[in-house]
Amino acid sequence: MTDLDVSPAHRSAREVLSWSRAGVDPALRAAVDRLPESMRGIAGYHFGWWDEHGRPAGADAGKAIRPALALLGARAVGGSVEQALPAAVAVELVHNFSLLHDDVMDGDTTRRHRPTAWSVFGVNPAVLAGDSLLTLSLDVLAGSGNPGAQQGIRVLSTAVQQLLDGQSADLAFEERGDVRLAECVRMAECKTGSLLGAACALGALFGGGRPDQVEHLRSFGERMGLAFQFVDDLLGIWGDPEVTGKPVFSDLQNRKKSLPVVAALTSDTAAARELDELYHADRQLTGADLARAADLIEVSGARAWSQGRADDLLARARVHLRAAEPVESAARELDAVARLATRRDR
């Protein structure tokens, strides 16, 4: 038994995430240390371990939700978290591969309260570093020695393909004026729900879970992930920059077709028509424009609708969690992480 397997009773969600980060980081660092030096430097900067010159920095490395889901998924089916450590590392590598690429494609210059990797090292090096993390994630699973490794590679590869499909749709939406709400929801299912579902499934698989447990935990993670995206999109408009690490109204500034935006644009209201004019104005949006756009989304009812959908999805995720017949302590912590991930003030 390792320190990872020692689980105090009644931990809060934040305590669980701190436990996950502390437990996964040594293995994550060891994996990243195997990268070529050119990739290792950018990856370490992105993870917050050092500055652009390679000096220790200790910056924010993210919430570690996905690795926590993998570790708890193993515990939920009666396995040890040590068994699931390669799965946890792999999903964190994939998540950060996607962030490196997303920042380039979205033109974001800030992540986790510091300049994005591409804005420091350049676009091409950041893209290559993301590719390197993706390749490393599969290598970690292949070299784990776990009996479920081969199936795990298929699970993760499928999730990555869905993630890429979702990102492709997200980018295409920026050029279209006729995005339907159903296809926007489908985009979010692929872009966010797929990897959170894979994290839970991989943990259960590496922990020796039954096929039905693996599938129910995957469904739990997918629905939690979509709820997470609804809340994340709300934070992209109304979130506190001190919490989100991004400027206020950042998604509106980029004219992203996020879930609340598309819900507002398709609401057939006067607010929808005014928002459409703002979103398709052939000029840079001012601070007043962005504040007005946020007001229009709220007036249209899209903010309340998004919050309601997140709550409904969380309830449906819990149904699948119970159906997996999980170990009680792990189920309690999975539920706590899901509730934290879908809070408006996270």
Side-chain angles (χ1 to χ4, degrees), residues 308-319:
R309 281 299 308 272
D311 293 339
D312 179 64
L313 285 160
L314 180 58
R316 286 194 274 162
R318 285 168 164 161
V319 171

Side-chain angles (χ1 to χ4, degrees), residues 12-296:
S12 70
R14 295 191 185 280
E15 288 171 333
V16 169
L17 295 181
S18 295
W19 160 81
S20 169
R21 174 58 71 201
V24 169
D25 261 5
L28 184 63
R29 285 175 179 262
V32 170
D33 278 345
R34 304 205 309 264
L35 295 177
E37 183 59 31
S38 58
M39 300 294 99
R40 179 178 172 274
I42 300 171
Y45 172 85
H46 172 76
F47 279 114
W49 300 335
W50 46 72
D51 65 16
E52 64 270 30
H53 304 294
R55 298 178 297 228
D60 181 10
K63 294 179 283 294
I65 288 175
R66 291 156 190 82
L69 293 176
L71 298 179
L72 293 175
R75 284 190 51 226
V77 299
S80 74
V81 295
E82 188 67 24
Q83 290 173 282
L85 190 56
V89 170
V91 295
E92 186 70 345
L93 288 168
V94 166
H95 175 52
N96 283 279
F97 135 75
S98 73
L99 296 182
L100 280 164
H101 283 199
D102 279 2
D103 286 342
V104 169
M105 289 182 276
D106 294 342
D108 287 337
T109 56
T110 303
R111 179 172 293 280
R112 299 169 183 161
H113 309 283
R114 69 203 300 240
T116 50
W118 75 265
S119 68
V120 173
F121 299 98
V123 168
N124 292 339
V127 169
L128 291 173
D131 294 341
S132 190
L133 293 185
L134 175 58
T135 304
L136 181 61
S137 71
L138 300 176
D139 185 63
V140 166
L141 293 183
S144 67
N146 188 287
Q150 184 174 356
Q151 185 180 348
I153 290 172
R154 296 290 298 275
V155 168
L156 190 59
S157 296
T158 298
V160 170
Q161 295 291 4
Q162 292 174 330
L163 187 158
L164 296 175
D165 188 36
Q167 177 66 1
S168 176
D170 195 16
L171 293 171
F173 292 169
E174 294 178 14
E175 308 299 323
R176 288 174 46 193
D178 60 342
V179 178
R180 297 185 300 276
L181 187 55
E183 60 182 339
C184 190
V185 172
R186 174 61 183 159
M187 176 273 292
E189 288 173 341
C190 290
K191 187 175 176 180
T192 305
S194 61
L195 188 56
L196 271 74
C200 294
L202 280 169
L205 179 64
F206 273 55
R210 305 187 309 266
D212 65 299
Q213 290 179 304
V214 172
E215 288 309 308
H216 276 302
L217 286 169
R218 184 207 302 270
S219 295
F220 163 77
E222 288 173 345
R223 283 153 183 78
M224 171 196 162
L226 184 53
F228 176 96
Q229 189 60 58
F230 268 102
V231 173
D232 211 52
D233 284 355
L234 290 170
L235 293 174
I237 300 172
W238 291 283
D240 180 353
E242 292 296 318
V243 176
T244 65
K246 292 187 175 184
V248 66
F249 302 142
S250 61
D251 282 359
L252 300 181
Q253 181 70 67
N254 294 329
R255 307 193 201 203
K256 287 185 67 67
K257 300 286 176 50
S258 63
L259 288 160
V261 169
V262 174
L265 288 171
T266 58
S267 64
D268 193 26
T269 61
R273 291 184 285 276
E274 186 178 343
L275 180 63
D276 184 73
E277 290 178 6
L278 272 177
Y279 246 58
H280 295 96
D282 188 20
R283 58 180 173 79
Q284 185 78 17
L285 297 180
T286 66
D289 290 333
L290 297 175
R292 179 57 179 165
D295 288 342
L296 291 168

Side-chain angles (χ1 to χ4, degrees), residues 319-344:
V319 171
H320 283 284
L321 178 58
R322 291 192 296 271
E325 301 177 340
V327 172
E328 182 180 352
S329 60
R332 184 170 57 246
E333 292 183 345
L334 281 167
D335 184 72
V337 170
R339 284 186 284 111
L340 176 65
T342 54
R343 272 173 43 184
R344 314 315 185 243

